[in-house]
Amino acid sequence: METLIGMVGKDFVLTAADTSAARSITVMKSNEDKSRDLNKHIVMLYSGEPGDTVHFAEYIQRNVRFYEIKNGIELTPKAAATFTRKELATSLRSRHPYAVNLLIAGYDVTTLTSQLYWIDYLGSSISVPFAAHGYGAYYTLSLLDRYHRPDLSLDEAKILIKKCIDELKSRFIINLADFKIKVADKDGYLLE
């Protein structure tokens, strides 16, 4: 019942994640943050089984931070996505695989590019211009396909993300009351 949305703009990545935590027919929490900041320029959004998501997200967050402390350099979005995909693929071959879907969004300060990676629970990973996970993807991907352009400005991206959220509110049977929106750019990430 969760929805994650992301899109790459001209020099930023805009992400949105719903804030509801539900199980079956019960909403248990309506202010859940389904994102982790991996470093100043990278944000990871996650959805899936509640215990798996938080545990896996914290594991990735702490290992990325440990790598930066140990080696003295920040990981790029591609490196963070590759590490995350490897950890998911390794867990898939264990007795207790993680059931987690991810979007890793960030700004690469070495190549001065914005990047978005779509990763599913099977360890598949791909760099994409826009992405969505969850049931909300059925409604939002068509809008993103129609209106997304590589040279989107931040204001245009905000309008597009609002269209996606409005579409979910008008057509999706589940009430996703609120979304947390984050933008990652050359200055770091910020909350919208």
Side-chain angles (χ1 to χ4, degrees):
M1 306 293 179
E2 302 166 311
T3 300
L4 309 177
I5 307 167
M7 69 182 82
V8 176
K10 188 175 169 183
D11 54 358
F12 65 90
V13 182
L14 182 107
T15 62
D18 73 285
T19 60
S20 63
R23 181 77 176 162
S24 183
I25 61 171
T26 305
V27 175
M28 295 175 282
K29 194 174 176 185
S30 62
N31 61 349
E32 179 75 15
D33 185 4
K34 296 176 186 174
S35 67
R36 288 285 186 268
D37 308 321
L38 300 185
N39 64 32
K40 185 179 175 187
H41 298 282
I42 304 173
V43 177
M44 179 174 68
L45 279 64
Y46 54 86
S47 67
E49 291 297 319
D52 285 355
T53 56
V54 173
H55 183 265
F56 186 74
E58 288 178 351
Y59 171 76
I60 295 298
Q61 183 183 34
R62 289 192 171 77
N63 273 282
V64 168
R65 182 68 184 130
F66 175 67
Y67 180 89
E68 291 172 2
I69 292 170
K70 182 179 171 188
N71 297 303
I73 57 170
E74 273 190 4
L75 285 178
T76 63
K78 182 176 182 175
T82 302
F83 170 73
T84 304
R85 192 214 69 78
K86 180 194 162 294
E87 291 301 316
L88 263 179
T90 301
S91 82
L92 189 63
R93 290 157 183 82
S94 71
R95 291 179 180 248
H96 305 289
Y98 291 106
V100 181
N101 295 309
L102 305 158
L103 293 180
I104 295 182
Y107 187 83
D108 188 343
V109 293
T110 58
T111 62
L112 304 178
T113 57
S114 305
Q115 299 171 353
L116 176 64
Y117 290 88
W118 181 93
I119 304 172
D120 71 357
Y121 70 100
L122 295 172
S124 302
S125 174
I126 188 164
S127 177
V128 290
F130 57 85
H133 270 300
Y135 285 120
Y138 293 115
Y139 302 102
T140 58
L141 283 175
S142 60
L143 285 170
L144 291 168
D145 187 47
R146 170 70 178 93
Y147 296 109
H148 181 270
R149 299 184 328 271
D151 63 339
L152 273 179
S153 70
L154 184 56
D155 291 332
E156 290 170 327
K158 287 178 185 177
I159 291 168
L160 181 51
I161 205 80
K162 184 171 178 359
K163 280 184 186 179
C164 291
I165 293 169
D166 290 344
E167 188 74 11
L168 287 171
K169 289 187 178 188
S170 68
R171 296 188 60 209
F172 194 34
I173 195 167
I174 307 300
N175 179 21
L176 300 174
D178 201 13
F179 281 79
K180 184 168 266 193
I181 298 173
K182 289 187 176 182
V183 177
D185 61 12
K186 65 181 180 309
D187 301 322
Y189 70 88
L190 57 114
L191 199 60
E192 289 291 318

